[in-house]
Amino acid sequence: GKSFYLIGDDLKTFGQFAMSTAYDLTTAALVVRGANPFTIPDVSGLRGHAVSSDGKTIIFTARDFLYRYNLTTAFDPSTVTGNSNSGIIMRDIVPDRGFNEEERNPRALDFSSDGRKLYVVGLSNDYIYEFPLSTPYDITTRGTVVRFDVRPQESSPDGLALSPNGT
């Protein structure tokens, strides 16, 4: 409760903010060190992000892509490594897994607490996609995708948060 992360599509940045008092935004300030906030090059349409529980992996959604970046120091964006080439294309993944439609607008995402599943909200088709990962937090090790249709409840899904204990 003493820090949060913010992405912005206008400047294509990801930055860390610290609060001197837990959960009190009036005490928030940008943490300035090294490359924080760092610029995400050649990416537009930033929508959502998820940070692994160990703080060493960040996944971003942007247009129809998921991008993975690694941090050499946990939860410290100034130590980012990787680039936009370490991503996967949602529009290619979903049809490859037996679905007829393409997902061109991933919005929000979250990991299971153990990092073995990634959940992505897709606005194009109003689904939540579940990607099993054979290596925790590594989107390149994804298995067969499962989807859940949210259209009966919501026609424009835009957010997702999982409970940390899986219940």
Side-chain angles (χ1 to χ4, degrees):
K2 289 193 125 187
S3 66
F4 63 92
Y5 302 89
L6 184 69
I7 60 169
D9 191 41
D10 286 341
L11 299 176
K12 296 170 186 27
T13 58
F14 177 78
Q16 179 184 22
F17 292 77
M19 294 176 279
S20 56
T21 303
Y23 303 102
D24 183 354
L25 284 176
T26 64
T27 67
L30 177 66
V31 175
V32 179
R33 67 173 174 261
N36 182 56
F38 80 86
T39 301
I40 305 163
D42 304 321
V43 174
S44 62
L46 284 167
R47 294 288 180 236
H49 70 281
V51 181
S52 63
S53 61
D54 66 359
K56 297 261 185 153
T57 303
I58 304 169
I59 307 291
F60 295 102
T61 62
R63 301 219 178 215
D64 56 353
F65 291 87
L66 300 179
Y67 295 101
R68 181 185 77 206
Y69 288 85
N70 297 313
L71 303 176
T72 55
T73 302
F75 301 103
D76 183 351
S78 70
T79 66
V80 68
T81 61
N83 58 50
S84 59
N85 294 326
S86 61
I88 59 174
I89 304 171
M90 283 288 291
R91 70 174 181 265
D92 291 344
I93 297 281
V94 175
D96 286 350
R97 299 299 185 231
F99 304 133
N100 293 325
E101 70 283 338
E102 296 179 345
E103 180 54 62
R104 293 190 168 273
N105 203 353
R107 304 296 271 192
L109 63 159
D110 204 356
F111 287 107
S112 62
S113 60
D114 64 1
R116 294 205 170 267
K117 291 184 180 181
L118 173 66
Y119 297 86
V120 179
V121 172
L123 184 62
S124 298
N125 300 302
D126 304 326
Y127 289 118
I128 298 173
Y129 299 93
E130 177 187 271
F131 294 84
L133 307 174
S134 58
T135 301
Y137 307 109
D138 185 349
I139 59 176
T140 64
T141 66
R142 68 198 174 279
T144 302
V145 177
V146 176
R147 68 181 182 186
F148 176 74
D149 187 351
V150 297
R151 281 178 285 201
Q153 294 78 31
E154 179 57 56
S155 62
S156 187
D158 211 22
L160 174 73
L162 300 174
S163 65
N165 62 2
T167 61

PDB file of all heavy atoms in Angstrom, residues 43-74:
ATOM      1  N   VAL A  43       5.307   1.572 -29.079  1.00  0.00           N
ATOM      2  CA  VAL A  43       4.067   0.958 -28.611  1.00  0.00           C
ATOM      3  C   VAL A  43       3.013   2.041 -28.523  1.00  0.00           C
ATOM      4  O   VAL A  43       3.263   3.113 -27.984  1.00  0.00           O
ATOM      5  CB  VAL A  43       4.264   0.284 -27.230  1.00  0.00           C
ATOM      6  CG1 VAL A  43       2.952  -0.213 -26.685  1.00  0.00           C
ATOM      7  CG2 VAL A  43       5.261  -0.853 -27.330  1.00  0.00           C
ATOM      8  N   SER A  44       1.840   1.772 -29.062  1.00  0.00           N
ATOM      9  CA  SER A  44       0.740   2.726 -28.905  1.00  0.00           C
ATOM     10  C   SER A  44      -0.500   1.959 -28.466  1.00  0.00           C
ATOM     11  O   SER A  44      -0.591   0.750 -28.632  1.00  0.00           O
ATOM     12  CB  SER A  44       0.480   3.480 -30.204  1.00  0.00           C
ATOM     13  OG  SER A  44       0.108   2.591 -31.223  1.00  0.00           O
ATOM     14  N   GLY A  45      -1.429   2.667 -27.894  1.00  0.00           N
ATOM     15  CA  GLY A  45      -2.654   2.047 -27.426  1.00  0.00           C
ATOM     16  C   GLY A  45      -2.492   1.339 -26.092  1.00  0.00           C
ATOM     17  O   GLY A  45      -3.187   0.364 -25.822  1.00  0.00           O
ATOM     18  N   LEU A  46      -1.582   1.823 -25.244  1.00  0.00           N
ATOM     19  CA  LEU A  46      -1.399   1.203 -23.928  1.00  0.00           C
ATOM     20  C   LEU A  46      -2.710   1.227 -23.151  1.00  0.00           C
ATOM     21  O   LEU A  46      -3.374   2.251 -23.070  1.00  0.00           O
ATOM     22  CB  LEU A  46      -0.327   1.937 -23.127  1.00  0.00           C
ATOM     23  CG  LEU A  46       1.102   1.672 -23.545  1.00  0.00           C
ATOM     24  CD1 LEU A  46       2.030   2.676 -22.894  1.00  0.00           C
ATOM     25  CD2 LEU A  46       1.510   0.260 -23.182  1.00  0.00           C
ATOM     26  N   ARG A  47      -3.076   0.098 -22.570  1.00  0.00           N
ATOM     27  CA  ARG A  47      -4.344  -0.006 -21.857  1.00  0.00           C
ATOM     28  C   ARG A  47      -4.207  -0.526 -20.436  1.00  0.00           C
ATOM     29  O   ARG A  47      -4.820  -0.043 -19.532  1.00  0.00           O
ATOM     30  CB  ARG A  47      -5.317  -0.910 -22.613  1.00  0.00           C
ATOM     31  CG  ARG A  47      -5.749  -0.361 -23.910  1.00  0.00           C
ATOM     32  CD  ARG A  47      -6.698   0.807 -23.701  1.00  0.00           C
ATOM     33  NE  ARG A  47      -7.096   1.328 -24.965  1.00  0.00           N
ATOM     34  CZ  ARG A  47      -6.941   2.588 -25.344  1.00  0.00           C
ATOM     35  NH1 ARG A  47      -6.402   3.461 -24.537  1.00  0.00           N
ATOM     36  NH2 ARG A  47      -7.323   2.990 -26.524  1.00  0.00           N
ATOM     37  N   GLY A  48      -3.451  -1.588 -20.257  1.00  0.00           N
ATOM     38  CA  GLY A  48      -3.385  -2.193 -18.940  1.00  0.00           C
ATOM     39  C   GLY A  48      -2.025  -2.805 -18.682  1.00  0.00           C
ATOM     40  O   GLY A  48      -1.214  -2.942 -19.590  1.00  0.00           O
ATOM     41  N   HIS A  49      -1.796  -3.137 -17.421  1.00  0.00           N
ATOM     42  CA  HIS A  49      -0.547  -3.794 -17.069  1.00  0.00           C
ATOM     43  C   HIS A  49      -0.754  -4.685 -15.855  1.00  0.00           C
ATOM     44  O   HIS A  49      -1.700  -4.506 -15.094  1.00  0.00           O
ATOM     45  CB  HIS A  49       0.566  -2.783 -16.794  1.00  0.00           C
ATOM     46  CG  HIS A  49       0.385  -2.003 -15.535  1.00  0.00           C
ATOM     47  ND1 HIS A  49      -0.463  -0.928 -15.444  1.00  0.00           N
ATOM     48  CD2 HIS A  49       0.918  -2.158 -14.305  1.00  0.00           C
ATOM     49  CE1 HIS A  49      -0.427  -0.438 -14.225  1.00  0.00           C
ATOM     50  NE2 HIS A  49       0.411  -1.176 -13.494  1.00  0.00           N
ATOM     51  N   ALA A  50       0.118  -5.647 -15.708  1.00  0.00           N
ATOM     52  CA  ALA A  50       0.139  -6.513 -14.536  1.00  0.00           C
ATOM     53  C   ALA A  50       1.595  -6.734 -14.158  1.00  0.00           C
ATOM     54  O   ALA A  50       2.456  -6.868 -15.021  1.00  0.00           O
ATOM     55  CB  ALA A  50      -0.538  -7.849 -14.829  1.00  0.00           C
ATOM     56  N   VAL A  51       1.835  -6.764 -12.858  1.00  0.00           N
ATOM     57  CA  VAL A  51       3.171  -6.989 -12.329  1.00  0.00           C
ATOM     58  C   VAL A  51       3.153  -8.325 -11.598  1.00  0.00           C
ATOM     59  O   VAL A  51       2.226  -8.618 -10.842  1.00  0.00           O
ATOM     60  CB  VAL A  51       3.594  -5.858 -11.373  1.00  0.00           C
ATOM     61  CG1 VAL A  51       4.998  -6.087 -10.829  1.00  0.00           C
ATOM     62  CG2 VAL A  51       3.505  -4.501 -12.059  1.00  0.00           C
ATOM     63  N   SER A  52       4.166  -9.147 -11.829  1.00  0.00           N
ATOM     64  CA  SER A  52       4.245 -10.440 -11.158  1.00  0.00           C
ATOM     65  C   SER A  52       4.387 -10.251  -9.651  1.00  0.00           C
ATOM     66  O   SER A  52       4.846  -9.198  -9.188  1.00  0.00           O
ATOM     67  CB  SER A  52       5.423 -11.248 -11.701  1.00  0.00           C
ATOM     68  OG  SER A  52       6.647 -10.583 -11.427  1.00  0.00           O
ATOM     69  N   SER A  53       4.005 -11.269  -8.890  1.00  0.00           N
ATOM     70  CA  SER A  53       4.058 -11.155  -7.429  1.00  0.00           C
ATOM     71  C   SER A  53       5.484 -10.977  -6.922  1.00  0.00           C
ATOM     72  O   SER A  53       5.699 -10.380  -5.869  1.00  0.00           O
ATOM     73  CB  SER A  53       3.409 -12.373  -6.766  1.00  0.00           C
ATOM     74  OG  SER A  53       4.107 -13.545  -7.128  1.00  0.00           O
ATOM     75  N   ASP A  54       6.477 -11.452  -7.683  1.00  0.00           N
ATOM     76  CA  ASP A  54       7.869 -11.257  -7.264  1.00  0.00           C
ATOM     77  C   ASP A  54       8.431  -9.927  -7.758  1.00  0.00           C
ATOM     78  O   ASP A  54       9.568  -9.570  -7.455  1.00  0.00           O
ATOM     79  CB  ASP A  54       8.752 -12.413  -7.730  1.00  0.00           C
ATOM     80  CG  ASP A  54       8.898 -12.501  -9.244  1.00  0.00           C
ATOM     81  OD1 ASP A  54       8.308 -11.675  -9.984  1.00  0.00           O
ATOM     82  OD2 ASP A  54       9.598 -13.428  -9.694  1.00  0.00           O
ATOM     83  N   GLY A  55       7.622  -9.166  -8.530  1.00  0.00           N
ATOM     84  CA  GLY A  55       8.031  -7.843  -8.989  1.00  0.00           C
ATOM     85  C   GLY A  55       9.065  -7.831 -10.086  1.00  0.00           C
ATOM     86  O   GLY A  55       9.618  -6.788 -10.418  1.00  0.00           O
ATOM     87  N   LYS A  56       9.309  -8.968 -10.718  1.00  0.00           N
ATOM     88  CA  LYS A  56      10.375  -9.054 -11.724  1.00  0.00           C
ATOM     89  C   LYS A  56       9.873  -9.078 -13.166  1.00  0.00           C
ATOM     90  O   LYS A  56      10.665  -9.056 -14.094  1.00  0.00           O
ATOM     91  CB  LYS A  56      11.217 -10.305 -11.469  1.00  0.00           C
ATOM     92  CG  LYS A  56      11.942 -10.292 -10.142  1.00  0.00           C
ATOM     93  CD  LYS A  56      13.359  -9.882 -10.356  1.00  0.00           C
ATOM     94  CE  LYS A  56      14.148  -9.977  -9.079  1.00  0.00           C
ATOM     95  NZ  LYS A  56      15.538 -10.211  -9.318  1.00  0.00           N
ATOM     96  N   THR A  57       8.548  -9.143 -13.371  1.00  0.00           N
ATOM     97  CA  THR A  57       7.978  -9.189 -14.711  1.00  0.00           C
ATOM     98  C   THR A  57       6.800  -8.226 -14.795  1.00  0.00           C
ATOM     99  O   THR A  57       5.984  -8.168 -13.888  1.00  0.00           O
ATOM    100  CB  THR A  57       7.476 -10.611 -15.047  1.00  0.00           C
ATOM    101  OG1 THR A  57       8.559 -11.528 -14.918  1.00  0.00           O
ATOM    102  CG2 THR A  57       6.927 -10.685 -16.463  1.00  0.00           C
ATOM    103  N   ILE A  58       6.727  -7.489 -15.906  1.00  0.00           N
ATOM    104  CA  ILE A  58       5.591  -6.614 -16.187  1.00  0.00           C
ATOM    105  C   ILE A  58       5.064  -6.995 -17.559  1.00  0.00           C
ATOM    106  O   ILE A  58       5.833  -7.163 -18.507  1.00  0.00           O
ATOM    107  CB  ILE A  58       5.985  -5.130 -16.223  1.00  0.00           C
ATOM    108  CG1 ILE A  58       6.669  -4.710 -14.932  1.00  0.00           C
ATOM    109  CG2 ILE A  58       4.764  -4.258 -16.476  1.00  0.00           C
ATOM    110  CD1 ILE A  58       7.315  -3.345 -15.034  1.00  0.00           C
ATOM    111  N   ILE A  59       3.739  -7.142 -17.657  1.00  0.00           N
ATOM    112  CA  ILE A  59       3.088  -7.384 -18.943  1.00  0.00           C
ATOM    113  C   ILE A  59       2.198  -6.174 -19.224  1.00  0.00           C
ATOM    114  O   ILE A  59       1.447  -5.732 -18.348  1.00  0.00           O
ATOM    115  CB  ILE A  59       2.210  -8.654 -18.912  1.00  0.00           C
ATOM    116  CG1 ILE A  59       2.993  -9.873 -18.419  1.00  0.00           C
ATOM    117  CG2 ILE A  59       1.573  -8.910 -20.279  1.00  0.00           C
ATOM    118  CD1 ILE A  59       4.046 -10.369 -19.349  1.00  0.00           C
ATOM    119  N   PHE A  60       2.273  -5.651 -20.439  1.00  0.00           N
ATOM    120  CA  PHE A  60       1.428  -4.537 -20.864  1.00  0.00           C
ATOM    121  C   PHE A  60       0.490  -4.997 -21.970  1.00  0.00           C
ATOM    122  O   PHE A  60       0.869  -5.832 -22.787  1.00  0.00           O
ATOM    123  CB  PHE A  60       2.275  -3.392 -21.444  1.00  0.00           C
ATOM    124  CG  PHE A  60       3.180  -2.743 -20.467  1.00  0.00           C
ATOM    125  CD1 PHE A  60       4.531  -3.043 -20.449  1.00  0.00           C
ATOM    126  CD2 PHE A  60       2.692  -1.815 -19.558  1.00  0.00           C
ATOM    127  CE1 PHE A  60       5.388  -2.441 -19.552  1.00  0.00           C
ATOM    128  CE2 PHE A  60       3.538  -1.205 -18.652  1.00  0.00           C
ATOM    129  CZ  PHE A  60       4.884  -1.517 -18.652  1.00  0.00           C
ATOM    130  N   THR A  61      -0.716  -4.427 -22.023  1.00  0.00           N
ATOM    131  CA  THR A  61      -1.574  -4.588 -23.193  1.00  0.00           C
ATOM    132  C   THR A  61      -1.474  -3.304 -24.004  1.00  0.00           C
ATOM    133  O   THR A  61      -1.443  -2.203 -23.441  1.00  0.00           O
ATOM    134  CB  THR A  61      -3.051  -4.824 -22.821  1.00  0.00           C
ATOM    135  OG1 THR A  61      -3.543  -3.691 -22.109  1.00  0.00           O
ATOM    136  CG2 THR A  61      -3.209  -6.069 -21.983  1.00  0.00           C
ATOM    137  N   ALA A  62      -1.428  -3.461 -25.302  1.00  0.00           N
ATOM    138  CA  ALA A  62      -1.375  -2.318 -26.207  1.00  0.00           C
ATOM    139  C   ALA A  62      -1.911  -2.765 -27.557  1.00  0.00           C
ATOM    140  O   ALA A  62      -1.371  -3.688 -28.164  1.00  0.00           O
ATOM    141  CB  ALA A  62       0.052  -1.808 -26.356  1.00  0.00           C
ATOM    142  N   ARG A  63      -2.988  -2.115 -27.973  1.00  0.00           N
ATOM    143  CA  ARG A  63      -3.674  -2.513 -29.211  1.00  0.00           C
ATOM    144  C   ARG A  63      -3.968  -3.997 -29.163  1.00  0.00           C
ATOM    145  O   ARG A  63      -4.644  -4.453 -28.285  1.00  0.00           O
ATOM    146  CB  ARG A  63      -2.880  -2.096 -30.426  1.00  0.00           C
ATOM    147  CG  ARG A  63      -2.666  -0.609 -30.444  1.00  0.00           C
ATOM    148  CD  ARG A  63      -2.778  -0.038 -31.777  1.00  0.00           C
ATOM    149  NE  ARG A  63      -2.597   1.401 -31.642  1.00  0.00           N
ATOM    150  CZ  ARG A  63      -3.222   2.255 -32.370  1.00  0.00           C
ATOM    151  NH1 ARG A  63      -4.029   1.854 -33.291  1.00  0.00           N
ATOM    152  NH2 ARG A  63      -3.012   3.531 -32.192  1.00  0.00           N
ATOM    153  N   ASP A  64      -3.416  -4.793 -30.065  1.00  0.00           N
ATOM    154  CA  ASP A  64      -3.705  -6.230 -30.040  1.00  0.00           C
ATOM    155  C   ASP A  64      -2.489  -7.043 -29.599  1.00  0.00           C
ATOM    156  O   ASP A  64      -2.336  -8.193 -29.960  1.00  0.00           O
ATOM    157  CB  ASP A  64      -4.239  -6.716 -31.383  1.00  0.00           C
ATOM    158  CG  ASP A  64      -3.322  -6.404 -32.552  1.00  0.00           C
ATOM    159  OD1 ASP A  64      -2.321  -5.690 -32.348  1.00  0.00           O
ATOM    160  OD2 ASP A  64      -3.604  -6.874 -33.653  1.00  0.00           O
ATOM    161  N   PHE A  65      -1.640  -6.447 -28.790  1.00  0.00           N
ATOM    162  CA  PHE A  65      -0.426  -7.114 -28.325  1.00  0.00           C
ATOM    163  C   PHE A  65      -0.389  -7.229 -26.803  1.00  0.00           C
ATOM    164  O   PHE A  65      -0.985  -6.433 -26.090  1.00  0.00           O
ATOM    165  CB  PHE A  65       0.825  -6.325 -28.743  1.00  0.00           C
ATOM    166  CG  PHE A  65       1.095  -6.330 -30.216  1.00  0.00           C
ATOM    167  CD1 PHE A  65       0.522  -5.385 -31.042  1.00  0.00           C
ATOM    168  CD2 PHE A  65       1.934  -7.283 -30.775  1.00  0.00           C
ATOM    169  CE1 PHE A  65       0.774  -5.382 -32.409  1.00  0.00           C
ATOM    170  CE2 PHE A  65       2.201  -7.282 -32.135  1.00  0.00           C
ATOM    171  CZ  PHE A  65       1.609  -6.337 -32.956  1.00  0.00           C
ATOM    172  N   LEU A  66       0.378  -8.210 -26.344  1.00  0.00           N
ATOM    173  CA  LEU A  66       0.810  -8.295 -24.954  1.00  0.00           C
ATOM    174  C   LEU A  66       2.333  -8.206 -24.990  1.00  0.00           C
ATOM    175  O   LEU A  66       2.975  -8.916 -25.764  1.00  0.00           O
ATOM    176  CB  LEU A  66       0.404  -9.625 -24.313  1.00  0.00           C
ATOM    177  CG  LEU A  66      -1.082  -9.955 -24.251  1.00  0.00           C
ATOM    178  CD1 LEU A  66      -1.276 -11.321 -23.599  1.00  0.00           C
ATOM    179  CD2 LEU A  66      -1.830  -8.895 -23.481  1.00  0.00           C
ATOM    180  N   TYR A  67       2.893  -7.318 -24.203  1.00  0.00           N
ATOM    181  CA  TYR A  67       4.339  -7.122 -24.166  1.00  0.00           C
ATOM    182  C   TYR A  67       4.882  -7.505 -22.797  1.00  0.00           C
ATOM    183  O   TYR A  67       4.298  -7.145 -21.786  1.00  0.00           O
ATOM    184  CB  TYR A  67       4.703  -5.660 -24.437  1.00  0.00           C
ATOM    185  CG  TYR A  67       4.336  -5.202 -25.822  1.00  0.00           C
ATOM    186  CD1 TYR A  67       3.200  -4.446 -26.036  1.00  0.00           C
ATOM    187  CD2 TYR A  67       5.146  -5.518 -26.903  1.00  0.00           C
ATOM    188  CE1 TYR A  67       2.866  -4.012 -27.308  1.00  0.00           C
ATOM    189  CE2 TYR A  67       4.815  -5.091 -28.178  1.00  0.00           C
ATOM    190  CZ  TYR A  67       3.674  -4.333 -28.371  1.00  0.00           C
ATOM    191  OH  TYR A  67       3.350  -3.913 -29.621  1.00  0.00           O
ATOM    192  N   ARG A  68       6.020  -8.154 -22.774  1.00  0.00           N
ATOM    193  CA  ARG A  68       6.657  -8.544 -21.518  1.00  0.00           C
ATOM    194  C   ARG A  68       7.978  -7.802 -21.350  1.00  0.00           C
ATOM    195  O   ARG A  68       8.797  -7.739 -22.269  1.00  0.00           O
ATOM    196  CB  ARG A  68       6.939 -10.042 -21.493  1.00  0.00           C
ATOM    197  CG  ARG A  68       7.576 -10.476 -20.164  1.00  0.00           C
ATOM    198  CD  ARG A  68       7.980 -11.929 -20.176  1.00  0.00           C
ATOM    199  NE  ARG A  68       9.219 -12.063 -20.940  1.00  0.00           N
ATOM    200  CZ  ARG A  68       9.597 -13.165 -21.558  1.00  0.00           C
ATOM    201  NH1 ARG A  68       8.855 -14.242 -21.542  1.00  0.00           N
ATOM    202  NH2 ARG A  68      10.729 -13.214 -22.223  1.00  0.00           N
ATOM    203  N   TYR A  69       8.161  -7.261 -20.162  1.00  0.00           N
ATOM    204  CA  TYR A  69       9.427  -6.652 -19.774  1.00  0.00           C
ATOM    205  C   TYR A  69       9.860  -7.262 -18.450  1.00  0.00           C
ATOM    206  O   TYR A  69       9.009  -7.618 -17.623  1.00  0.00           O
ATOM    207  CB  TYR A  69       9.287  -5.132 -19.608  1.00  0.00           C
ATOM    208  CG  TYR A  69       9.117  -4.400 -20.910  1.00  0.00           C
ATOM    209  CD1 TYR A  69       7.869  -4.260 -21.490  1.00  0.00           C
ATOM    210  CD2 TYR A  69      10.207  -3.828 -21.563  1.00  0.00           C
ATOM    211  CE1 TYR A  69       7.706  -3.583 -22.689  1.00  0.00           C
ATOM    212  CE2 TYR A  69      10.051  -3.145 -22.756  1.00  0.00           C
ATOM    213  CZ  TYR A  69       8.798  -3.026 -23.320  1.00  0.00           C
ATOM    214  OH  TYR A  69       8.646  -2.361 -24.490  1.00  0.00           O
ATOM    215  N   ASN A  70      11.155  -7.361 -18.236  1.00  0.00           N
ATOM    216  CA  ASN A  70      11.688  -7.886 -16.983  1.00  0.00           C
ATOM    217  C   ASN A  70      12.367  -6.765 -16.215  1.00  0.00           C
ATOM    218  O   ASN A  70      12.891  -5.814 -16.812  1.00  0.00           O
ATOM    219  CB  ASN A  70      12.691  -9.012 -17.257  1.00  0.00           C
ATOM    220  CG  ASN A  70      12.027 -10.189 -17.934  1.00  0.00           C
ATOM    221  OD1 ASN A  70      10.968 -10.631 -17.512  1.00  0.00           O
ATOM    222  ND2 ASN A  70      12.627 -10.679 -18.995  1.00  0.00           N
ATOM    223  N   LEU A  71      12.370  -6.895 -14.897  1.00  0.00           N
ATOM    224  CA  LEU A  71      13.054  -5.944 -14.022  1.00  0.00           C
ATOM    225  C   LEU A  71      14.179  -6.705 -13.314  1.00  0.00           C
ATOM    226  O   LEU A  71      13.942  -7.776 -12.753  1.00  0.00           O
ATOM    227  CB  LEU A  71      12.096  -5.357 -12.985  1.00  0.00           C
ATOM    228  CG  LEU A  71      10.849  -4.662 -13.530  1.00  0.00           C
ATOM    229  CD1 LEU A  71       9.940  -4.221 -12.391  1.00  0.00           C
ATOM    230  CD2 LEU A  71      11.231  -3.474 -14.381  1.00  0.00           C
ATOM    231  N   THR A  72      15.378  -6.155 -13.333  1.00  0.00           N
ATOM    232  CA  THR A  72      16.476  -6.827 -12.639  1.00  0.00           C
ATOM    233  C   THR A  72      16.359  -6.657 -11.127  1.00  0.00           C
ATOM    234  O   THR A  72      16.810  -7.514 -10.380  1.00  0.00           O
ATOM    235  CB  THR A  72      17.851  -6.336 -13.135  1.00  0.00           C
ATOM    236  OG1 THR A  72      17.904  -4.929 -13.006  1.00  0.00           O
ATOM    237  CG2 THR A  72      18.064  -6.735 -14.584  1.00  0.00           C
ATOM    238  N   THR A  73      15.756  -5.560 -10.682  1.00  0.00           N
ATOM    239  CA  THR A  73      15.460  -5.349  -9.267  1.00  0.00           C
ATOM    240  C   THR A  73      13.943  -5.327  -9.116  1.00  0.00           C
ATOM    241  O   THR A  73      13.265  -4.565  -9.808  1.00  0.00           O
ATOM    242  CB  THR A  73      16.062  -4.021  -8.756  1.00  0.00           C
ATOM    243  OG1 THR A  73      17.476  -4.049  -8.971  1.00  0.00           O
ATOM    244  CG2 THR A  73      15.757  -3.814  -7.279  1.00  0.00           C
ATOM    245  N   ALA A  74      13.429  -6.157  -8.234  1.00  0.00           N
ATOM    246  CA  ALA A  74      11.978  -6.295  -8.068  1.00  0.00           C
ATOM    247  C   ALA A  74      11.302  -4.945  -7.826  1.00  0.00           C
ATOM    248  O   ALA A  74      11.788  -4.133  -7.030  1.00  0.00           O
ATOM    249  CB  ALA A  74      11.676  -7.241  -6.908  1.00  0.00           C
TER     250      ALA A  74
END
